[in-house]
Amino acid sequence: MDVIHSVAALRERLERVPNNVFVPTMGNLHQGHIQLINIAKPRAACTVVSVFVNRLQFGPREDFERYPRTLESDFEQCRAAGVDVVFVPDEREIYPEVQTFVVEPSDLQHILEGAARPRHFRGVATVVLKLFNMVRPHSAIFGKKDYQQYIVLRDMVHQFALPIEIIPAETVRGPDGLALSSRNQYLSPMQLEEAPRLYQTLCAMREDLLQGSRAIQRMELEGMAGLARNGWRPDYIAVRRQSDLQEITPEDTHLVIVAAARLGTTRLIDNIEVELGG
Ligand code: AMP
């Protein structure tokens, strides 16, 4: 496995294997990331993982500084998973000067996660486009854990006609249902016990939808009230359609319930897809 720090060395390394598949990450790898690598591996001769904590996608009061950085463990896990190239640029490689050209995502950047985190998706889309230009993969894998991010990037690739296949991967969860996330380690032992309630709330809402309930707004409000009663500060719980995360119409059958809520100072997100029959 090659660990590469500069864009120049990356280009030189990948010249030899133009057939590569890409897994962008911010490091602090866990089984969710490893699953993306496992999906990537059989698809190309060369699997490239990037580890870069992208300042551009963090708000001024967010956790950029304290985001967990665990490079040695990341390398070990990549090696064990059979990764060929780990790209670990420092900030000057990705942003040698102030990034004045940015990717401005569609209206999607203003709803749900975008409303709670202004400029977040602009930062994500901009760095991912740059990474795509550096790695030049034929495919890239993204987790549905970050559902809106996946939709934004899928649409970016489509609208800019980038020759890259975007492959979504299912959310990996702990035995208690909690979606694996680097941010889970901010949680105290007591908060860790409480945290699975977010997924449980989504599961209960899915059950109601499958049972035929269409009182969407009431369901959303009750879901948020349930979390609030247990010490959470919910940002949103919303039943949306999978294709574009807009509000559902009676004709929609492919739904997703997306949620974000704060437990103490830690902000967790999760979602669950719902397929309505007939
Ligand atoms: P991050 O390092 O958090 O930026 O995530 C890098 C990639 O891993 C993104 O495509 C995430 O959606 C994906 N990812 C993170 N956590 C999970 C998880 N629990 N299950 C599946 N994919 C995940």
Side-chain angles (χ1 to χ4, degrees):
M1 184 178 88
D2 293 325
V3 175
I4 294 179
H5 296 274
S6 75
V7 177
L10 181 75
R11 287 199 198 283
E12 198 185 306
R13 170 67 173 81
L14 294 180
E15 236 164 51
R16 284 183 274 138
V17 263
N19 171 5
N20 78 72
V21 57
F22 182 35
V23 179
T25 82
M26 297 205 298
N28 193 243
L29 302 187
H30 51 61
Q31 279 307 310
H33 301 109
I34 301 305
Q35 181 203 213
L36 306 192
I37 294 168
N38 291 339
I39 292 172
K41 280 279 305 166
R43 293 176 177 268
C46 177
T47 300
V48 182
V49 171
S50 65
V51 175
F52 180 64
V53 184
N54 175 39
R55 192 190 291 271
L56 218 57
Q57 73 191 62
F58 286 78
R61 278 188 298 280
E62 292 183 355
D63 55 344
F64 175 76
E65 297 298 340
R66 71 165 178 152
Y67 196 84
R69 289 154 171 93
T70 53
L71 271 187
E72 285 313 315
S73 151
D74 294 347
F75 294 158
E76 225 167 85
Q77 292 184 66
C78 282
R79 204 170 281 123
V83 169
D84 299 283
V85 174
V86 183
F87 180 43
V88 201
D90 72 18
E91 223 169 346
R92 280 162 309 184
E93 277 299 313
I94 302 292
Y95 301 118
E97 66 271 331
V98 176
Q99 186 72 31
T100 50
F101 287 81
V102 292
V103 179
E104 203 63 68
S106 67
D107 288 350
L108 265 175
Q109 69 174 319
H110 302 302
I111 62 169
L112 304 168
E113 274 306 276
R117 305 183 69 187
R119 289 183 293 283
H120 171 66
F121 288 117
R122 174 204 286 185
V124 169
T126 301
V127 80
V128 169
L129 179 63
K130 291 193 80 157
L131 290 167
F132 281 172
N133 284 330
M134 293 165 180
V135 177
R136 299 211 286 159
H138 64 62
S139 314
I141 324 288
F142 291 91
K144 286 199 226 170
K145 154 82 168 40
D146 301 279
Y147 207 92
Q148 193 170 355
Q149 168 175 281
Y150 155 61
I151 301 287
V152 165
L153 296 174
R154 182 201 64 188
D155 291 357
M156 175 183 84
V157 161
H158 174 72
Q159 292 212 342
F160 286 127
L162 303 181
I164 299 171
E165 185 187 0
I166 299 296
I167 299 160
E170 295 306 321
T171 300
V172 178
R173 301 177 181 282
D176 54 7
L178 176 64
L180 300 190
S181 162
S182 304
R183 291 188 167 104
N184 292 351
Q185 57 194 266
Y186 301 151
L187 299 171
S188 69
M190 259 174 69
Q191 289 172 329
L192 267 174
E193 268 185 41
E194 173 61 26
R197 190 183 306 276
L198 183 58
Y199 182 57
Q200 288 157 8
T201 302
L202 297 181
C203 287
M205 289 175 69
R206 174 168 73 173
E207 212 36 55
D208 286 350
L209 285 164
L210 291 173
Q211 295 300 321
S213 168
R214 291 296 174 272
I216 303 295
Q217 216 182 2
R218 201 182 67 210
M219 216 184 281
E220 293 170 345
L221 290 173
E222 280 174 4
M224 288 199 278
L227 288 178
R229 273 196 302 279
N230 287 281
W232 297 69
R233 278 176 300 139
D235 273 347
Y236 60 84
I237 297 185
V239 179
R240 296 296 168 100
R241 53 172 187 241
Q242 289 174 22
S243 57
D244 56 7
L245 297 180
Q246 298 303 315
E247 289 180 12
I248 65 171
T249 66
E251 289 74 45
D252 287 316
T253 54
H254 306 296
L255 315 185
V256 58
I257 316 172
V258 287
R262 231 172 262 274
L263 194 51
T265 54
T266 305
R267 189 168 179 282
L268 299 178
I269 61 170
D270 204 349
N271 67 80
I272 190 171
E273 291 180 324
V274 186
E275 305 292 343
L276 299 179

